[in-house]
Amino acid sequence: MDTLDPFFTEWARKRPGQIRSRRRARLLMEALDLDPASVPVLGVVGSKGKGSTATYAAAALSAAGLRTVLATGPSFRSYRERVRVDGVSLTDAELAALGERIEAARVRLPSVEETGGHLAPSGLFLIAALLRAREVGADVCVLEAGAGGYRDELRVIGPDVVALGRVFGEHLGVLGDTIPEIAREKARVAGDRTRALLTLPQTDEVTEAVAAALVEATGGRVGAETVDPDAEGVEPPVRLRPAGLSAASGVLGTAAALRMLDVLGRPHPSSERLHEVLGTVRLPARLSRHAVPGSDAEIVVDSAINRDGVATALAHARALWGGVDHVLLCLPDHKDVSGAVAALGDVPVTTVVLPEAHLRFEHVLPPHWRTMKAEDLSPDTIAALGGRLLAMGTVYFTGRVLEAVDAPTDRLFGPLR
């Protein structure tokens, strides 16, 4: 695309304190003659692992023969990746055409002040996914929510089935002041259309908050169904699950897809077919392994943002190579920087600072750690750090690493036949 204005115009112009407007999103869909109930929707919410959950759900639905549109965020190397058909990114021309249609409808809306807030980029990509689903005659959409749930555009669209990942303290003070409040916000994405909500095992306090939220959102019509990744016989088998902490997300996504097939009255794929398709899933920046161009170096890239994630990624890389020569780490101050420092111990580390104005990098770090700017990432600067490399941190950073090493990100699963 030559411009990202169709998706980012109102967000870029928002004033301090201004919020996203669900009413405005609803008006936009009306202006596009877009009925969100015209296509079944599997919605994904949670504090972490939403992209992996959504990808496995889309792959499992595709294995059942359904044409699937997937919307995830944020992107890795291109905004085209925010919307995919049967696991494959849109082309530049396809995304631009969707953006033009959205912009033509947006300029006809009442003012931002009249609708009480702006259109958020993540919500506009969900609307773009619905438009694309209509264009290609999709059987189902898998839509990943933004940070929230009830306040997200996914709530306006109305999911038929909800997949709820584990809920923890990400976005404390934004989505809620306690973890149960955050869980309530996420579970209340359910609404009149919702027939089922599947959840990974949660703490007792989160389980109670989700149950209460579902009573409020669905009148008690829907109760949470827990998916235990450690239960015997749960799909997919361990060998087909994502590596590391994403494994549970793969199980949740698969279970949610099979539940969606039940809701739609469609048969499940055979185990052989399901395993065949799930065996093709590739998750960029989820312990993904890449060659560094022009060198013999390899790098594992992971979107770990807390102590457990960093420790898991480090253990994975050590098991892969027998050791790690250097770590590239990018964690803004609002992430678990202290936990990452503790998990890394004496491993050589270079921290990377991003240029985004809303991110702060002022946390005191070990004095022997190096620092570099994200703009300086290149195959040469990466390979100079060693032959066995691990890059971890926020997705704004891991996307830059994937771009630097020219990692394939346009296809998440398939090809299907």
Side-chain angles (χ1 to χ4, degrees):
M1 298 178 66
D2 293 331
T3 175
L4 293 173
D5 283 350
F7 297 96
F8 290 85
T9 296
E10 293 192 1
W11 177 82
R13 295 174 182 171
K14 66 184 176 69
R15 298 174 181 175
Q18 189 181 87
I19 61 173
R20 67 202 303 164
S21 170
R22 292 191 314 175
R23 178 191 171 205
R24 191 166 182 79
R26 187 177 294 109
L27 290 172
L28 177 64
M29 285 189 278
E30 291 175 359
L32 290 163
D33 193 26
L34 191 60
D35 178 7
S38 62
V39 59
V41 170
L42 192 163
V44 180
V45 295
S47 297
K48 186 69 174 168
K50 296 191 295 293
S52 301
T53 300
T55 299
Y56 267 72
L61 289 165
S62 294
L66 277 65
R67 188 151 213 208
T68 306
V69 169
L70 169 66
T72 58
S75 52
F76 302 107
R77 299 182 59 183
S78 168
Y79 288 106
R80 296 183 293 99
E81 302 161 1
R82 298 290 291 266
V83 180
R84 302 173 188 261
V85 178
D86 291 331
V88 180
S89 301
L90 299 181
T91 65
D92 287 330
E94 289 166 346
L95 183 59
L98 292 172
E100 289 170 4
R101 293 177 61 190
I102 288 172
E103 181 67 2
R106 185 192 71 81
V107 298
R108 301 197 304 270
L109 298 181
S111 69
V112 169
E113 290 72 24
E114 290 178 81
T115 56
H118 62 276
L119 292 166
S122 60
L124 289 175
F125 281 112
L126 296 189
I127 292 172
L130 292 179
L131 284 173
R132 188 60 178 161
R134 184 168 67 185
E135 290 175 351
V136 302
D139 298 301
V140 64
C141 284
V142 178
L143 306 180
E144 176 189 338
Y150 180 71
R151 288 170 280 185
D152 195 89
E153 288 79 3
L154 180 58
R155 178 65 175 79
V156 178
I157 294 167
D160 297 86
V161 172
V162 177
L164 173 64
R166 290 197 175 101
V167 179
F168 51 86
E170 185 82 350
H171 303 297
L172 275 170
V174 178
L175 299 180
D177 293 329
T178 66
I179 294 176
E181 287 181 4
I182 293 174
R184 179 175 181 272
E185 155 74 18
K186 293 181 183 296
R188 287 171 70 222
V189 75
D192 293 341
R193 284 176 60 182
T194 306
R195 301 277 299 278
L197 181 146
L198 282 73
T199 176
L200 288 174
Q202 310 282 356
T203 63
D204 290 344
E205 61 181 5
V206 167
T207 298
E208 292 173 3
V210 169
L214 284 176
V215 169
E216 178 182 349
T218 71
R221 178 173 46 81
V222 175
E225 304 169 27
T226 299
V227 178
D228 183 359
D230 296 326
E232 186 175 351
V234 173
E235 293 281 13
V238 173
R239 63 183 175 82
L240 293 176
R241 299 178 187 181
L245 299 181
S246 294
S249 298
V251 172
L252 176 63
T254 304
L258 297 179
R259 189 69 174 87
M260 182 62 139
L261 292 171
D262 294 338
V263 167
L264 297 177
R266 301 285 292 263
H268 290 194
S270 67
S271 292
E272 293 76 15
R273 177 58 174 166
L274 178 65
H275 296 171
E276 178 187 14
V277 175
L278 294 185
T280 69
V281 172
R282 298 294 179 268
L283 298 172
R286 272 80 168 184
L287 295 176
S288 57
R289 180 182 181 182
H290 310 279
V292 180
S295 75
D296 295 327
E298 286 190 327
I299 189 166
V300 167
V301 184
D302 191 62
S303 299
I305 57 170
N306 58 26
R307 180 171 183 160
D308 288 345
V310 169
T312 298
L314 186 61
H316 176 85
R318 283 171 167 163
L320 180 66
W321 295 314
V324 173
D325 297 325
H326 208 94
V327 168
L328 284 164
L329 180 71
C330 180
L331 290 181
D333 292 346
H334 66 282
K335 303 297 184 183
D336 183 17
V337 182
S338 297
V341 171
L344 288 168
D346 59 0
V347 177
V349 176
T350 294
T351 59
V352 182
V353 177
L354 292 165
E356 280 77 8
H358 67 287
L359 298 177
R360 295 286 178 267
F361 294 88
E362 299 170 358
H363 195 285
V364 177
L365 301 172
H368 60 281
W369 284 17
R370 307 176 193 173
T371 301
M372 69 182 295
K373 296 180 179 179
E375 299 92 317
D376 295 330
L377 286 170
S378 70
D380 290 341
T381 58
I382 293 172
L385 298 173
R388 303 170 299 177
L389 306 170
L390 175 60
M392 296 178 289
T394 179
V395 290
Y396 296 105
F397 163 67
T398 55
R400 285 176 176 262
V401 176
L402 294 173
E403 177 72 21
V405 301
D406 195 26
T409 57
D410 276 330
R411 183 183 292 277
L412 293 182
F413 59 85
L416 305 172
R417 64 177 190 273

